[in-house]
Amino acid sequence: MKQPKVTLIVGPRERFSYTKTSLESIYTNTEYPFDLVFVDVCSPVSVQNYLHAKSQEKSFTILKTDHYISPNQARNVGLQYVLQHTDSQYVVFIENDVIVQRNWLTKLVNCAEETSAAVVGPLTCIGNPAHQVIHNAGGKSYIKTEIKNGQTRRRIKQSAYLTGRAISDVQDQLHRTQCDYVEFHCMLVCRDIFAKTGLLDEGMLATREHIDFCFMVTEAGGSIYSERDAIVTTDTLGIASNKAGLKAWFGQLKLPEFKWSDLPYFMVRWSDAWDRASLDHLRNKWNLAEDKYFTKRYAGLGSRRHELLIKPVVQFLTFGKGSTWLERQLIILERPLNRFWFNRYTHRLRQAQMSKTV
């Protein structure tokens, strides 16, 4: 039988310095034939030089933007190119800090072919060493309508499967599973579903975009699977259960490696402004109540910056002992810095857009 065509769309997660490691992993560990489109959202010159050389070697397409854009916007840049210029049956969105285990793509395609799924996600692990602690194995996510005191409320109900568990402890559960959502760290999508959903929602700038898209897929009648025999790892840290699993398994948390050139995009990508706008958009789009699900996330604005920027500084300054007081003080100082950084970005973006219209 003729193999379905697949195009990988590689886009930004939150930094650029892992790009080479990620791409080398894809080309080394992927046996299934694929085309690749890399969406470069103003990466540093050293990364651009690497991408140019690698694209010449492997004949992949680079799509450049002239300013920072959000992950969903970047995915749409790649998706529009694929829909217009290829006849690929499947697209795979994969972020630029993901490394893959051998045969990952073959297993994702087989799952889609055998189940007629619209969306398939792999077993996504987290941290280093790779492929050991689970971040996402699919999950439940649905909207529940409640009537209380004569008022109707729509609320998100969400739970993740196996998060924070070591792969070695759950071998009996690593089988193909139908679910409500998988995540954009790595996600295979059948081309046909976009005729029903349209492009990804660019109002989802920074967070919960996978939940929004999976709602759209389900509403369009598509099914979603987690293919747990296909394994990838994202080089980042996440929710508390991830950290507990990493500590239990490795005895410590190894933070992702950052370079100074990563900081400008990171600050915009995880800005309070983009985070809040995403949550507001999700709530308004699906007519959801501002319940505990949202208040918790509103209260956690900036947590990504605090986790990967402020806490390491506190650990350094206190010789590893930590200090809640110092952490709080640095958070207070960092918030206006983030606003300044974001406002500078938006100002420069407006200037660039105005210059194009002149």
Side-chain angles (χ1 to χ4, degrees), residues 132-157:
Q132 300 292 335
V133 174
I134 298 169
H135 171 62
N136 181 263
K140 293 183 67 65
S141 183
Y142 59 94
I143 297 174
K144 182 178 180 180
T145 301
E146 301 175 340
I147 299 176
K148 187 175 182 179
N149 298 326
Q151 294 188 336
T152 301
R153 297 201 311 172
R154 285 163 53 85
R155 303 175 63 187
I156 289 182
K157 297 293 183 179

Side-chain angles (χ1 to χ4, degrees), residues 17 67 72 130 132 150 164 178 192 236 261 309 311 325 341 348:
S17 53
H67 59 275
N72 251 15
Q132 300 292 335
Q178 188 167 3
D192 292 346
T236 186
S261 55
L309 298 179
K311 287 186 177 181
W325 176 86
W341 210 297
R348 289 180 175 179

